[in-house]
Amino acid sequence: MLAASLIPTEVAGVGVLNSAFEAVVGGLRASVLGFAEPEDVRAFHVPPVISRALLERLGYVDAFPNLLGTLHTFVGDNRRWRAIQAARLADGADWHSEQTISDVVALPATCYHLYPLVAGRTLAGPMTMTAEASCYRHEGSSELGRLRSFRMREVVRIGSPDDVPRWRDEWLARTRTWFEGLGLKVSVEAATDPFFGDAARMMAPPQRQEELKWELRADLGTGQAQAIASANYHKDHFGGLFGILIDGDVAHTACAAYGLERIVLALIAVHGDSPARWPAFVRGALGLGGTTR
């Protein structure tokens, strides 16, 4: 299954995907966007990198330093580079000492690009935004599905304290129904983010107690369930950080996130490694041909 769909590279957690895999990703993408009807969703394209200063402001660097992917760049002119190369050939000098950390880092979550778009605004009503991005997290496991480079589709809701939790719960229910309609057996479980160090002790317990994060988990063919989607309620965290107001108060936010590669792997685990031979109702639902049930 793995060789037929997600082809390993020389480093763990980074794979090359074949055309059949990509066709399923396209079907998933269209299905998720179809959830939005009849909501007015603003769609964006976001890059795979983000401001390092912004992630520091969001608290990501403190909470998840072990997952962060930093970028480095050479600082110097062509003459300096030639001198480094000459020294390297002569005595094996390390050119990495000439690098400096960049002002951008690898994007760990799609939604981080969306909240700044409405910073300092007072909203007339709830707003829904969506984007998909290639994300990176420095995962330490080579377990199937625990990729370092992966794509995440997110839908973000910004609104009042009454609106946002209701929206989150509705999307959680829609997502479960959607997965079951694709023949996936999923469990819905309260979860916490993988906080690091002291953040795990301080932030994880209240997150679980208040049921702020729910994960939809499925077997990816390893015998162990992994999260393939989540629905998260942030309360006024992002609204406060970015000065977003609604109804005269700080806006609340929530997001629904979908790991596209993991969902495809879950489908392969259930239906086999050839989408051409999947049940007609699954192929129809994903626009691969066939009929819906």
Side-chain angles (χ1 to χ4, degrees):
M1 179 184 72
L2 181 59
S5 54
L6 197 160
I7 306 166
T9 64
E10 65 274 13
V11 292
V14 179
V16 174
L17 308 174
N18 67 15
S19 59
F21 196 106
E22 283 302 288
V24 179
V25 168
L28 293 173
R29 182 182 296 121
S31 293
V32 171
L33 293 178
F35 285 179
E37 298 175 1
E39 291 179 292
D40 179 19
V41 178
R42 305 183 186 190
F44 298 90
H45 173 79
V46 299
V49 294
I50 193 168
S51 161
R52 176 164 52 93
L54 177 59
L55 280 196
E56 291 172 350
R57 178 183 174 190
L58 291 171
Y60 188 92
V61 177
D62 291 330
F64 313 106
N66 55 317
L67 299 180
L68 184 64
T70 57
L71 303 179
H72 294 73
T73 184
F74 170 71
V75 177
D77 57 20
N78 191 47
R79 180 181 301 177
R80 179 59 185 159
W81 179 250
R82 289 200 303 270
I84 293 170
Q85 292 295 85
R88 180 183 179 192
L89 292 174
D91 59 14
D94 185 4
W95 66 274
H96 292 87
S97 62
E98 300 291 329
Q99 290 189 312
T100 185
I101 188 170
S102 173
D103 59 346
V104 296
V105 297
L107 179 67
T110 303
C111 65
Y112 290 153
H113 271 302
L114 299 180
Y115 307 111
L117 299 180
V118 290
R121 289 179 53 181
T122 298
L123 304 182
M127 175 184 292
T128 307
M129 298 184 287
T130 187
E132 178 187 318
S134 291
C135 298
Y136 178 87
R137 295 177 188 170
H138 194 68
E139 295 281 4
S141 171
S142 59
E143 180 183 358
L144 178 63
R146 199 163 295 283
L147 301 172
R148 286 193 266 176
S149 177
F150 57 93
R151 281 166 296 183
M152 180 189 298
R153 163 65 61 176
E154 289 206 56
V155 186
V156 169
R157 181 73 163 190
I158 305 176
S160 70
D162 292 330
D163 169 79
V164 172
R166 181 172 58 250
W167 181 93
R168 192 277 305 266
D169 292 345
E170 288 175 353
W171 271 74
L172 183 65
R174 290 184 198 178
T175 300
R176 182 173 191 171
T177 299
W178 175 54
F179 283 150
E180 291 174 346
L182 294 176
L184 296 180
K185 295 181 180 179
V186 295
S187 61
V188 179
E189 302 178 29
T192 64
D193 289 309
F195 297 108
F196 182 81
D198 290 340
R201 176 175 54 82
M202 297 174 60
M203 302 175 71
Q207 187 181 41
R208 183 180 293 276
Q209 290 165 8
E210 297 181 50
E211 297 183 338
L212 301 181
K213 181 180 184 72
W214 290 92
E215 289 182 343
L216 295 100
R217 299 176 182 174
D219 185 0
L220 275 58
T222 62
Q224 182 176 358
Q226 288 188 34
I228 58 176
S230 65
N232 312 291
Y233 176 35
H234 318 122
K235 304 177 78 171
D236 63 357
H237 176 70
F238 293 113
L241 278 175
F242 293 104
I244 309 168
L245 303 178
I246 187 170
D247 297 334
D249 204 351
V250 177
H252 283 217
T253 65
C255 70
Y258 302 86
L260 298 181
E261 283 86 0
R262 284 191 183 182
I263 297 172
V264 178
L265 290 172
L267 288 167
I268 290 172
V270 172
H271 302 302
D273 61 5
S274 175
R277 293 194 290 270
W278 286 359
F281 72 88
V282 177
R283 292 182 51 78
L286 297 177
L288 303 175
T291 59
T292 55
R293 181 164 57 182

